[in-house]
């Protein structure tokens, strides 16, 4: 059974093989020099875009889809009756580094191709996709190469840029995209159905670019030398121009007749639960029970020991007959469950946290509850249950930053289960939610935190003196530059 990454790469290679053949005037025109490939007339931006998007989505969700690693640390999944050791080795995260050779490289190639042809909307979309990947690289590696790393044999030992430089590069791409979207007519070729993510909706791409700027600006709120007041002003300014409803959600929707394309559905059928599906962790279910969350019956089955209630599991421990925990429902984590890049609800939680930094507690509470509402509406929770949930006293915003931040991040956590990597980054950035790893996971190799950054690939340590000079980090204790909350 192939992984989503393998399927997307196969799809991408099929696309491009077809494009190059179609672009040749005859079989004798096929390129034989791999370092000097010539694009034929049939290779267009609309042909390239879907492959770029497929690789982007696969890379973005690589570490947040399986039962080992992050989903176990985050209590999204708790393996039943089997080894639940959660570890990180020097090969962990290589998929993100490999973006230099695959998804990021191809996004940059699409950008340059579209710029050369004057097809500016495609250029802008490629800018947004590339920016998202540069941010990801900066957030997990801290120091990493810029575009020198995509020149192949021309430069096998690229220099490393700082996290601040990587951010500046990504933000410049977003600014370029916004300018192109607002001030050009798109060129002769305009995106449409070939844009599988947003159907060529340039206004939607613009709002996503602004919300992405807000996300990444919040990421650096504790970075050394940052003026927090200026950061908050910028975040709120970006959000005013950002995503406005669930119609703006950025995601790859899987098709029901392509079951193997959705890794979560595959894991539902292969989980160590006797065919019952993936099992939620005890920390997650405890929090949702505490808030009497109406999303539970949509997401989970009832617990065997409590036919009207929900129970999580201590990862790795055996399950006793008659006391089985809840499981994710197959009609929730279905074959069509999307791979998400960013949801509108996240914009509202970012807004809530920004207002909390300003001490504007009423506005923070209203934005947080709007985030809850957006996620529940996305999941089709009945209106009366949404209203009842948001009306509970436990969601009254505390009048101090630390407790307010904790509450906001807790609500954001529940709204992000098996969606994006933001729960991981929020935990590293803020310390919330306050996971109890001893309570959650059997045999974890760190009871106080989980990996705060990715290790460099071993082959980069060995062959690039610029990487070896930085050294391999103690990834459980040494975070990236913005991991600086006191």
């Amino acid at each position: 059974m192939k992984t989503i990454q393998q399927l997307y790469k196969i799809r991408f290679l099929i696309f491009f093989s077809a494009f190059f053949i179609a672009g040749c005037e005859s079989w004798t025109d096929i390129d034989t020099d791999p370092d000097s490939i010539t694009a034929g007339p049939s290779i267009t931006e609309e042909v390239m875009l879907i492959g770029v998007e497929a690789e982007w989505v696969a890379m973005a969700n690589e570490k947040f889809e399986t039962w080992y690693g992050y989903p176990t640390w985050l209590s999204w999944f708790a393996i039943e009756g089997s080894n639940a050791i959660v570890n990180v080795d020097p090969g962990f995260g290589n998929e993100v580094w490999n973006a230099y050779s695959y998804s990021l490289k191809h996004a940059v190639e699409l950008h340059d191709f579209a710029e050369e042809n004057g097809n500016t909307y495609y250029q802008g979309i490629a800018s947004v996709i590339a920016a998202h990947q540069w941010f990801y690289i900066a957030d997990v590696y801290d120091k990493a190469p810029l575009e020198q790393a995509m020149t192949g044999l021309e430069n096998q030992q690229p220099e490393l840029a700082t996290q601040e430089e990587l951010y500046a590069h990504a933000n410049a791409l977003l600014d370029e995209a916004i300018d192109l979207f607002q001030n050009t007519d798109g060129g002769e070729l305009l995106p449409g159905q070939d844009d599988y993510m947003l159907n060529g909706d340039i206004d939607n791409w613009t709002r996503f670019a602004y919300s992405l700027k807000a996300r990444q600006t919040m990421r650096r709120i504790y970075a050394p030398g940052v003026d927090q007041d200026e950061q908050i002003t910028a975040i709120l300014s970006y959000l005013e121009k950002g995503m406005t409803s669930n119609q703006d959600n950025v995601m790859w929707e899987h098709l029901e007749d392509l079951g193997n394309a959705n890794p979560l559905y595959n894991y539902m059928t292969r989980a160590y639960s006797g065919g019952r599906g993936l099992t939620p962790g005890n920390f997650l279910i405890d929090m949702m029970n505490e808030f009497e969350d109406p999303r539970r019956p949509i997401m989970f089955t009832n617990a065997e020991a409590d036919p009207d209630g929900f129970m999580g599991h201590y990862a790795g421990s055996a399950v006793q007959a008659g006391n089985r925990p809840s499981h994710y429902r197959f009609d929730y984590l279905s074959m069509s469950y999307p791979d998400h890049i960013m949801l509108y609800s996240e914009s509202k939680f970012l807004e809530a946290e920004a207002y909390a930094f300003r001490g504007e507690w009423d506005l923070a509470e209203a934005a947080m509850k709007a985030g809850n509402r957006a996620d529940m509406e996305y999941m089709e929770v009945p209106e009366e249950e949404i209203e009842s949930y948001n009306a509970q006293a436990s969601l009254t915003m505390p009048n101090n930053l630390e407790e307010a931040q904790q509450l906001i991040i807790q609500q954001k956590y529940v709204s992000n289960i098996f969606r994006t990597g933001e729960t991981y980054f929020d935990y590293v950035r803020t310390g919330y939610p306050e996971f109890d790893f001893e309570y959650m996971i059997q045999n974890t190799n760190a009871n106080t935190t989980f990996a705060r950054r990715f290790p460099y690939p071993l082959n980069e340590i060995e062959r690039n003196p610029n990487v070896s000079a930085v050294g391999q980090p103690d990834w459980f204790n040494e975070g990236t530059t913005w991991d600086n909350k006191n």
Side-chain angles (χ1 to χ4, degrees):
M1 186 175 294
K2 295 186 182 296
T3 66
I4 186 172
Q5 288 75 24
Q6 290 172 319
L7 288 166
Y8 285 162
K9 288 176 183 176
I10 289 171
R11 182 187 302 174
F12 191 84
L13 290 171
I14 290 172
F15 278 138
F16 274 87
S17 296
F19 307 154
F20 284 125
I21 292 172
C24 295
E25 296 180 359
S26 69
W27 284 104
T28 58
D29 292 332
I30 293 177
D31 296 311
T32 57
D33 181 359
D35 295 320
S36 182
I37 297 175
T38 303
S42 296
I43 305 173
T44 64
E45 291 87 345
E46 62 183 347
V47 167
M48 297 173 68
L49 180 58
I50 193 170
V52 168
E53 290 182 340
E55 284 196 316
W56 170 41
V57 169
M59 187 279 296
N61 290 289
E62 170 65 25
K63 285 300 165 192
F64 305 100
E65 64 189 21
T66 61
W67 54 72
Y68 279 115
Y70 288 160
T72 304
W73 266 316
L74 300 174
S75 201
W76 294 349
F77 173 69
I79 194 168
E80 294 184 16
S82 184
N83 194 334
I85 292 176
V86 179
N87 202 354
V88 171
D89 58 36
F92 188 90
N94 281 7
E95 296 84 359
V96 180
W97 190 274
N98 289 343
Y100 284 118
S101 302
Y102 295 102
S103 55
L104 175 58
K105 178 180 175 64
H106 295 146
V108 171
E109 288 174 345
L110 173 58
H111 170 278
D112 295 346
F113 188 61
E115 182 178 28
E116 180 181 351
N117 293 337
N119 292 319
T120 53
Y121 286 172
Y122 282 97
Q123 180 187 346
I125 291 171
S127 291
V128 175
I129 293 172
H132 181 276
Q133 297 186 73
W134 284 118
F135 283 131
Y136 195 4
I137 287 169
D139 288 337
V140 298
Y141 290 113
D142 194 52
K143 295 182 178 66
L146 278 165
E147 291 181 321
Q148 283 184 349
M150 293 182 287
T151 56
L153 297 177
E154 294 177 19
N155 191 341
Q156 298 185 63
Q157 298 177 344
E159 298 175 358
L160 303 190
T162 65
Q163 187 179 74
E164 186 174 2
E165 291 169 335
L166 290 164
Y167 260 66
H169 185 72
N171 274 311
L173 285 170
L174 290 181
D175 291 339
E176 175 192 75
I178 291 167
D179 182 68
L180 291 171
F181 294 152
Q182 294 177 341
N183 298 308
T184 69
D185 61 6
E188 294 184 2
L189 193 63
L190 302 177
Q193 291 185 340
D194 55 305
D195 173 16
Y196 190 71
M197 305 293 286
L198 296 175
N199 293 310
D201 188 329
I202 297 305
D203 290 338
N204 200 331
W205 276 104
T206 302
R207 291 191 292 272
F208 170 47
Y210 275 115
S211 287
L212 182 56
K213 285 176 75 73
R215 171 197 279 181
Q216 301 300 146
T217 304
M218 183 66 80
R219 188 90 86 235
R220 298 189 72 247
I221 197 70
Y222 295 113
V226 162
D227 185 314
Q228 289 190 346
D229 290 338
E230 290 182 1
Q231 293 288 98
I232 295 305
T233 297
I235 290 166
L236 292 172
S237 174
Y238 297 146
L239 291 173
E240 286 181 358
K241 302 172 185 177
M243 303 165 84
T244 59
S245 74
N246 285 330
Q247 296 300 312
D248 290 339
N249 290 347
V250 183
M251 57 192 182
W252 179 285
E253 296 189 60
H254 294 283
L255 302 178
E256 286 286 349
D257 57 349
L258 294 176
N260 287 352
N262 184 344
L264 279 176
Y265 185 78
N266 290 335
Y267 303 143
M268 283 286 284
T269 62
R270 294 187 290 143
Y272 299 124
S273 62
R276 294 174 177 83
L278 291 167
T279 311
N282 50 12
F283 179 89
L284 169 62
I285 295 296
D286 288 354
M287 183 179 293
M288 297 184 78
N289 285 342
E290 178 185 351
F291 288 102
E292 299 183 355
D293 198 302
R295 287 165 286 198
R296 290 171 298 170
I298 296 174
M299 298 171 66
F300 310 116
T301 62
N302 295 113
E304 212 169 43
D306 183 3
D308 296 319
F310 304 89
M311 185 176 73
H313 185 62
Y314 174 53
S317 64
V319 173
Q320 304 299 320
N323 195 38
R324 290 192 175 278
S326 299
H327 297 92
Y328 286 91
R329 292 186 181 274
F330 277 86
D331 57 1
Y332 178 67
L333 294 185
S334 65
M335 284 192 292
S336 59
Y337 188 82
D339 275 293
H340 300 88
I341 296 291
M342 193 173 192
L343 290 88
Y344 165 62
S345 57
E346 183 188 335
S347 290
K348 302 310 293 183
F349 290 120
L350 287 168
E351 181 182 336
E353 193 177 356
Y355 281 129
F357 271 98
R358 283 189 168 177
E360 299 184 47
W361 313 117
D362 290 343
L363 291 174
E365 181 177 320
M368 178 190 71
K369 290 181 176 179
N372 291 338
R373 168 174 288 279
D375 187 66
M376 291 184 187
E377 288 178 346
Y378 177 57
M379 294 177 59
E380 300 183 346
V381 174
E383 173 62 26
E384 63 274 14
E385 294 182 15
I386 299 175
E387 292 179 359
S388 177
Y389 181 86
N390 271 338
Q392 61 185 299
S394 58
L395 292 183
T396 301
M397 189 62 60
N399 289 341
N400 69 82
L401 175 59
E402 205 60 38
E403 291 182 14
Q405 187 182 58
Q406 181 177 17
L407 179 61
I408 293 164
I409 298 299
Q410 283 177 339
Q411 296 303 297
K412 188 177 178 184
Y413 163 67
V414 174
S415 295
N416 194 49
I417 301 161
F418 278 125
R419 293 197 175 144
T420 72
E422 287 311 289
T423 295
Y424 163 69
F425 292 120
D426 283 340
Y427 171 75
V428 173
R429 177 175 64 86
T430 70
Y432 301 120
E434 291 184 315
F435 294 114
D436 184 343
F437 297 109
E438 288 188 275
Y439 171 66
M440 294 161 51
I441 308 169
Q442 192 176 70
N443 298 324
T444 186
N445 65 340
N447 289 327
T448 58
T449 186
F450 59 99
R452 306 187 74 85
R453 59 178 292 178
F454 289 0
Y456 290 115
L458 285 180
N459 60 352
E460 293 297 326
I461 292 283
E462 293 170 355
R463 72 187 179 192
N464 187 348
N466 297 307
V467 177
S468 59
V470 173
Q472 194 70 290
D474 175 4
W475 45 83
F476 276 94
N477 297 299
E478 296 179 12
T480 68
T481 300
W482 56 250
D483 180 9
N484 192 50
K485 184 179 179 181
N486 295 324

